[in-house]
Amino acid sequence: MMKNTRQERQADTRKAILQTALELIAEKGLDKLSLREIARRVGYSPAGLYEYFDSKEDILWTLALEGNDRLRAAAIGISSDLPIKERLTLACLAYVDFAVQNPEHFIIMNSLTTRRASLDEPVSSESSYSVFLKIIEVAIAEGELLVQENFGAEEITYGFWSLIHGMGILRLTQLRSFEADFEKMNRKAIETFITGLQ
Amino acid sequence: MMKNTRQERQADTRKAILQTALELIAEKGLDKLSLREIARRVGYSPAGLYEYFDSKEDILWTLALEGNDRLRAAAIGISSDLPIKERLTLACLAYVDFAVQNPEHFIIMNSLTTRRASLDEPVSSESSYSVFLKIIEVAIAEGELLVQENFGAEEITYGFWSLIHGMGILRLTQLRSFEADFEKMNRKAIETFITGLQ
DNA sequence: TTTTTTCTCCGAACAGTGTTCGGTATTATA
DNA sequence: TATAATACCGAACACTGTTCGGAGAAAAAA
C-alpha cells in the first residue's frame, strides 16, 4: 500500500498547501495569512513548506495564476451560438460571477498585480482581456457595436473591463454585506453600456 | 522662542507621521509600510508613536478618512451651473482623477474596507456615493436620464460607481505602466454609459 | 542485499514586525 | 516652587518570513 510515487505525493502536498491557504484567507483575510499557520494546519514545520514553494509569495502567485485560468475559462465558456450582444453580456456577467464565486482568488490576483516586480506574467484579467477584445471585435464587425473616433475596439474593451472589474471589486469590498439583486443590476448596467454603443 | 502650545505641537507631529506614512507607501507600497520605519524617519522611537496614534491601523484609518473627504470634496466641487449631463461626466472624471492624483489614499481606502470590523464609518466612496446619487436624481428629474424597470436612480448610480471605481483601480494596478490617453478614454466611456440611458 | 545518492522534513536561529509596560525626563498647572 | 500631566524611550513579548545544517527515510545504483 501507499504505492504513491514521489511526484504524486509531491503534487498532493502542494494542493493541500494551496487549499489550506485559500481556507485561511477565507477565514481571516489575505493580510492575516501566515505561512506558519498554513504549516501548522497542514502538519508541517514552517521550514518544511519550502520544499514545495520558494516563498509565501510563490504560493500566492500560484493561486493567482490558477484564478487567472479559471477566469479565462469562464469567459471563453460562453456559447458562441448566441447572438453576439448576448454573448458579450454573458461573458461580462461571468467575469463578475467569478469574483463572487472565487473571492480569495480574485483578491489575490488584485493584490499581486498591485506590486509586481515588472514581470509580464499574465495575471488577473490581463489575459481574459483578450477574450473580451475578440468578442467585441466580432460585435463591431457584425455592426452591433458602433466605433467612434478615439473609441475603437480596444477602448471599448477597456470600458467594459472597467465596468465589470469595478462591479467585482465593489462587491467584495464596499458592498460586501449589502443585499441586492446584483445579477439583475449588473445585467442592466452592461446592457446600458451596450446600448450606448449603438 | 518655540512658544508653540502643546496642542499645536501635537497636531504637527500627527501631521508629520501621516505625511511620512504616505511617503513610505509611495516608495515601497502599502504592504511594506512599517511603523518602525515611520518612527525612524520622523525621529521617534517606535513606542513614541503610540502617544499620537493607537495603532498602525489607526494611522491608516485617519488617512482613509482624509482621502474620503478629499474625494467627496472633488465630486461636490463641480460647478452646478453646467448642464446636468456635463456635470455628471465631470464628477465621474473627478473621481478617477482623485485615484490618480492620490494613489496612496485611494489604495488605503480600498484595503481598509476590504476587512473592516463592521463599523459603519463612511470610508471610501460610501459617502461620495450620495453625491453622485443626487446628481443623477436631478438628471432624471430633468428628463436627461431615463429610468427603467428595476433600474432606478440607485441602480444607475451603482452602475456609474462600478464604472469609475473600476477605472481607478485598474489604473493603479493592472494598467499602472500602461501609456494611453486615459482622460479621453474615460470621458468617452462615461458618455457612452449616459447615452445608453436615454 | 548493500551502498550510495537523493529527497523530506525539522529545530534552531536571524532579522524583521506591531504592541505593551515601566520608568524618566520635560512641560504645564497650581 | 511643588505637583500633576504629558512626552518619550529602552526593553521585552509574541509574532512574522526565511535560511541553514543536519538528521532520517526513500529511491537508485552497485
Side-chain angles (χ1 to χ4, degrees):
Chain A
M1 64 194 72
M2 264 302 174
K3 285 203 62 174
N4 289 333
T5 169
R6 273 271 237 255
Q7 290 193 14
E8 284 171 341
R9 268 179 296 161
Q10 162 116 8
D12 286 350
T13 316
R14 274 181 68 96
K15 270 185 206 161
I17 293 171
L18 294 174
Q19 180 57 34
T20 307
L22 283 179
E23 288 168 12
L24 284 172
I25 293 173
E27 289 176 23
K28 312 190 183 180
L30 176 55
D31 40 329
K32 300 244 185 285
L33 176 66
S34 133
L35 243 182
R36 293 178 122 96
E37 184 140 357
I38 297 178
R40 209 172 298 137
R41 200 171 283 203
V42 92
Y44 278 37
S45 92
L49 297 190
Y50 284 79
E51 206 72 32
Y52 300 90
F53 292 96
D54 289 342
S55 63
K56 182 187 176 184
E57 237 202 329
D58 186 22
I59 297 180
L60 295 177
W61 270 99
T62 306
L63 288 171
L65 294 175
E66 181 180 296
N68 189 63
D69 288 344
R70 290 195 202 174
L71 178 51
R72 198 181 150 83
I76 290 184
I78 307 298
S79 164
S80 51
D81 299 336
L82 295 165
I84 189 65
K85 282 195 292 189
E86 181 63 12
R87 208 176 135 206
L88 175 55
T89 305
L90 288 181
C92 286
L93 288 174
Y95 188 102
V96 184
D97 193 57
F98 168 83
V100 177
Q101 297 303 130
N102 311 281
E104 297 83 17
H105 282 95
F106 196 73
I107 284 174
I108 294 173
M109 284 185 261
N110 258 81
S111 79
L112 279 187
T113 25
T114 296
R115 277 278 151 185
R116 71 166 141 167
S118 88
L119 313 175
D120 47 352
E121 293 196 62
V123 158
S124 182
S125 25
E126 193 164 310
S127 68
S128 69
Y129 174 88
S130 59
V131 178
F132 282 95
L133 181 57
K134 263 177 205 148
I135 298 180
I136 284 163
E137 282 173 339
V138 171
I140 291 174
E142 293 188 7
E144 298 280 356
L145 254 44
L146 219 69
V147 299
Q148 307 167 44
E149 200 172 321
N150 293 322
F151 208 59
E154 303 210 29
E155 288 79 12
I156 292 176
T157 307
Y158 162 76
F160 276 104
W161 189 18
S162 297
L163 180 61
I164 59 187
H165 196 72
M167 286 171 173
I169 296 275
L170 285 180
R171 186 74 165 280
L172 296 184
T173 57
Q174 257 94 347
L175 302 178
R176 161 174 315 181
S177 47
F178 190 81
E179 298 282 345
D181 193 342
F182 282 101
E183 168 92 21
K184 202 172 279 180
M185 280 166 57
N186 290 342
R187 177 175 264 276
K188 274 282 183 192
I190 292 162
E191 286 172 350
T192 296
F193 199 78
I194 294 178
T195 305
L197 286 165
Q198 295 171 316
Chain B
M1 61 195 73
M2 265 301 176
K3 287 205 61 177
N4 290 334
T5 168
R6 240 188 180 125
Q7 290 194 15
E8 285 172 340
R9 267 177 298 162
Q10 162 118 8
D12 286 351
T13 319
R14 273 181 70 96
K15 271 184 204 160
I17 293 172
L18 294 174
Q19 181 57 33
T20 307
L22 282 180
E23 289 168 11
L24 283 172
I25 293 173
E27 289 174 22
K28 311 190 183 180
L30 176 57
D31 41 328
K32 301 243 185 284
L33 176 66
S34 136
L35 242 182
R36 293 178 123 93
E37 184 140 358
I38 297 178
R40 209 172 298 137
R41 201 171 282 205
V42 92
Y44 278 33
S45 92
L49 296 190
Y50 284 78
E51 208 71 33
Y52 300 91
F53 293 96
D54 289 342
S55 64
K56 181 187 177 185
E57 237 202 328
D58 187 21
I59 297 179
L60 294 178
W61 269 100
T62 306
L63 289 171
L65 294 175
E66 181 180 296
N68 190 62
D69 289 343
R70 290 194 200 173
L71 178 51
R72 197 179 151 85
I76 290 183
I78 307 297
S79 163
S80 50
D81 299 336
L82 295 166
I84 190 67
K85 280 196 292 189
E86 181 63 11
R87 207 177 136 206
L88 175 56
T89 305
L90 288 181
C92 286
L93 288 174
Y95 188 102
V96 184
D97 193 57
F98 168 83
V100 177
Q101 298 302 129
N102 310 277
E104 296 84 18
H105 281 94
F106 196 73
I107 284 173
I108 294 173
M109 284 185 262
N110 259 83
S111 79
L112 279 188
T113 23
T114 296
R115 276 278 151 189
R116 71 167 142 166
S118 88
L119 312 175
D120 47 353
E121 293 196 60
V123 158
S124 181
S125 26
E126 192 166 309
S127 68
S128 70
Y129 174 88
S130 59
V131 178
F132 282 95
L133 180 58
K134 264 177 204 147
I135 299 180
I136 284 163
E137 283 173 337
V138 172
I140 292 175
E142 294 187 8
E144 297 281 355
L145 254 45
L146 218 69
V147 298
Q148 306 167 45
E149 201 171 322
N150 292 324
F151 209 58
E154 302 209 30
E155 288 78 12
I156 292 176
T157 306
Y158 162 76
F160 276 104
W161 189 18
S162 297
L163 180 61
I164 62 187
H165 196 73
M167 286 172 173
I169 296 273
L170 285 180
R171 185 73 165 281
L172 297 183
T173 56
Q174 256 96 347
L175 301 179
R176 163 175 312 185
S177 47
F178 190 80
E179 299 283 344
D181 192 343
F182 282 102
E183 168 91 21
K184 200 172 282 179
M185 279 166 57
N186 291 342
R187 177 176 263 277
K188 273 283 184 193
I190 293 162
E191 287 173 349
T192 296
F193 199 79
I194 294 178
T195 304
L197 286 165
Q198 297 171 316

